[in-house]
Amino acid sequence: MKLATGILYTEKQIKQRVEEIAQQVSVDYAGKTLVLCAILKGSIPFLADLMRRISLDVRLVLIEMKSQVDGEHASILFTSSLDLSGKHVLIVEDIVDTGITLDYLLKRLEVERAPASIRVAALLDKPEARKLDVPVHYRGFTVPDKFVVGYGLDWQERYRNLPYITWVEPE
Ligand code: 5GP
C-alpha cells in the first residue's frame, strides 16, 4: 500500500471542525464535570486538540483496545484508573468503522462502571462499513470506505504524524 496523493481533510479544516465540536460539548455539558475517555492510540491528536478547546472541568481516562482483524471481536488491553461511577463520560475515538470496538466498549462501561451518561465523539465516521448500530453524538467528518490515515490514524503504525487526513491505496 502507498499513501494517496489526494487529501481528504486539511489541517485547517480539521482544526475548525474540532473547535466546533469542542464548543458544542462545552455548551451541552455546561456546569458539569466531564470525563474524556480516549481510545489509544489513534485519538491522541484529536484528544489533545479537543480537550484544550473545551471550557469545562475535564478529567481524562486512557483506554487501549484491540480491534480484531476478523472484524468480529474487540477487547480492552489497558485502562488508566479513574472511577466513572455517576460521572458524565465522553468517549473520544479516532474513527468508527464497523462499530464493533465502540459497541463492546459502551456495553462494558455501562455495565461495569455505572456512569451517569455516556456519549461518543468520533473524529471520523465511515458509515458504509458499519456492522453494528452504535451512537455517534459528535462527529468530525464522514469518510468514504477507504483506509484513512493521518492526524493519529495509522497504517501499520505509519502516518500517524501527518497533520492532515488522507488514505492509503494499493501500489
Ligand atoms: P471498528 O471496530 O469500528 O471497525 O474499528 C475501530 C478501529 O479500527 C478504529 O479505532 C481504528 O483504530 C481502526 N480503523 C478502522 N477503520 C480505519 C481506517 O480507515 N484507518 C485507520 N487508520 N484505522 C481504522
Side-chain angles (χ1 to χ4, degrees):
M1 300 285 267
K2 65 174 172 52
L3 208 54
T5 47
I7 290 182
L8 276 177
Y9 293 104
T10 64
E11 192 173 357
K12 193 174 165 194
Q13 285 173 311
I14 298 167
K15 184 170 188 279
Q16 187 180 336
R17 188 73 193 108
V18 173
E19 280 185 17
E20 287 167 3
I21 294 172
Q23 278 173 19
Q24 191 60 54
V25 169
S26 303
V27 168
D28 292 350
Y29 291 90
K32 295 177 178 144
T33 297
L34 181 64
V35 182
L36 298 177
C37 214
I39 306 183
L40 297 170
K41 305 172 196 170
S43 72
I44 288 175
F46 180 38
L47 168 73
D49 289 344
L50 183 72
M51 69 187 294
R52 285 179 295 174
R53 300 285 171 203
I54 294 177
S55 53
L56 299 168
D57 179 19
V58 159
R59 312 295 158 84
L60 180 60
V61 174
L62 300 176
I63 297 184
E64 189 173 5
M65 302 210 40
K66 186 166 175 59
S67 313
Q68 300 292 343
V69 188
D70 66 8
E72 298 300 330
H73 302 94
S75 53
I76 295 175
L77 297 175
F78 162 82
T79 312
S80 64
S81 69
L82 193 79
D83 182 14
L84 299 183
S85 170
K87 307 265 173 57
H88 296 285
V89 173
L90 181 62
I91 293 175
V92 180
E93 173 65 302
D94 53 358
I95 183 166
V96 183
D97 188 30
T98 62
I100 290 170
T101 307
L102 194 54
D103 180 72
Y104 177 81
L105 181 64
L106 284 168
K107 285 179 178 153
R108 285 278 304 263
L109 293 183
E110 273 162 8
V111 171
E112 296 173 13
R113 303 291 184 117
S117 69
I118 307 189
R119 284 185 178 172
V120 174
L123 177 72
L124 304 176
D125 187 2
K126 202 195 285 183
E128 285 171 53
R130 198 74 95 252
K131 289 186 179 169
L132 295 179
D133 189 22
V134 285
V136 180
H137 303 90
Y138 305 96
R139 174 185 295 99
F141 303 100
T142 299
V143 291
D145 196 5
K146 294 173 182 286
F147 198 82
V148 294
V149 295
Y151 194 68
L153 290 113
D154 75 306
W155 175 71
Q156 297 189 348
E157 292 300 326
R158 297 179 68 192
Y159 310 128
R160 289 192 197 278
N161 58 316
L162 295 177
Y164 53 87
I165 294 166
T166 179
W167 69 95
V168 289
E169 57 191 18
E171 305 253 359

